[in-house]
Amino acid sequence: MPTLSWQKSSYCAQGNSCVHIATTPHRIHLTESGDPSAAIVTAAPAAFHALLQVLKKDTPRG
């Protein structure tokens, strides 16, 4: 697996308890902390896009 370049979510406050994302040409990688060696979720771009669409649809707008 190539070395991943992690980026913290722009919706994250200060600290490392955030969602981090890294991409490769055919995969999206997510982790929930500043330690990318912890639990990592990997998805194809189409599956990740579908997840985002569901989350946006189900998120209440204030």
Side-chain angles (χ1 to χ4, degrees):
M1 183 154 107
T3 301
L4 298 174
S5 177
W6 293 97
Q7 179 179 352
K8 184 170 35 173
S9 168
S10 61
Y11 288 96
C12 182
Q14 296 292 328
N16 285 330
S17 292
C18 303
V19 172
H20 289 72
I21 187 168
T23 61
T24 60
H26 303 287
R27 294 285 180 247
I28 308 286
H29 308 274
L30 299 171
T31 187
E32 63 178 346
S33 71
D35 179 8
S37 64
I40 297 174
V41 174
T42 301
F48 184 69
H49 177 75
L51 171 65
L52 290 178
Q53 295 305 308
V54 169
L55 292 173
K56 287 178 183 179
K57 179 180 138 195
D58 291 342
T59 301
R61 305 282 180 208

